Amino acid sequence: FLEVWQQQFIPPKPLVPAVSVANNNAVNGSANNDMLMSNKGSKRIDWKEIRYKLPFSKHDESEAKRRMDLFNRIDNGNGYLSLAEIDKGLRDEIKLPDIYNAKPVIMRAFQSVKDVHNGHVTKSGQELGQHYVERSEFRLLLKYLYGYFQLWEIFEAIDVDGDRRIDRHEFIMNGSESFRS
């Protein structure tokens, strides 16, 4: 199951497309491997674009610079991000409407990373980790947004009636069809 999922929903290596910094055009990969049709038949997911706009690589200096620039553009100046800032940043700065419209993805990613580093204490004694994503957690937030969005798309492919539940019939019929090559 996992192997089939990886073939259909994870872009082929390299995960980071070769990009010309001057004109921002992707030059690697084929269109059929980088686009995915949703179960609704009209929405196309450009995984290369999503991966490029979510710079979460731990070892790529150019991604680290883009990530810090992105954090600074989303941050309201206090050095940490609230859920509202992340939500607005996805819409206005990162410009990924597919992820912006998948609110459960944003919420789960936020909840998963907001206290990874146990929070710093402000001058008033409040722990930031309880309510905010710190700069040191931002890379994981981007990585979780990408991963959870992949899972969200799989879920939507199986949940054809859109009730955000997978019943036995959907699981048997659509789950198996979604993962056949």
Side-chain angles (χ1 to χ4, degrees), residues 39-98:
N39 67 323
K40 308 301 186 252
S42 60
K43 183 172 77 170
R44 296 184 78 72
I45 305 297
D46 185 344
W47 290 106
K48 278 178 69 173
E49 176 190 24
I50 290 172
R51 178 56 188 93
Y52 179 76
K53 288 184 173 184
L54 298 175
F56 59 78
S57 176
K58 195 173 192 175
H59 305 291
D60 185 321
E61 281 188 46
S62 67
E63 281 202 19
K65 289 177 185 174
R66 286 190 302 117
R67 185 170 54 250
M68 287 303 102
D69 178 56
L70 186 58
F71 183 92
N72 292 333
R73 289 192 333 253
I74 295 173
D75 181 22
N76 66 7
N78 59 8
Y80 44 88
L81 303 175
S82 67
L83 179 60
E85 287 174 291
I86 292 165
D87 193 52
K88 185 176 184 293
L90 280 166
R91 185 191 66 210
D92 299 343
E93 298 296 333
I94 301 175
K95 297 182 176 151
L96 289 173
D98 291 323

Side-chain angles (χ1 to χ4, degrees), residues 18-27 52 66:
V19 174
S20 165
V21 176
N23 62 14
N24 217 17
N25 291 328
V27 294
Y52 179 76
R66 286 190 302 117

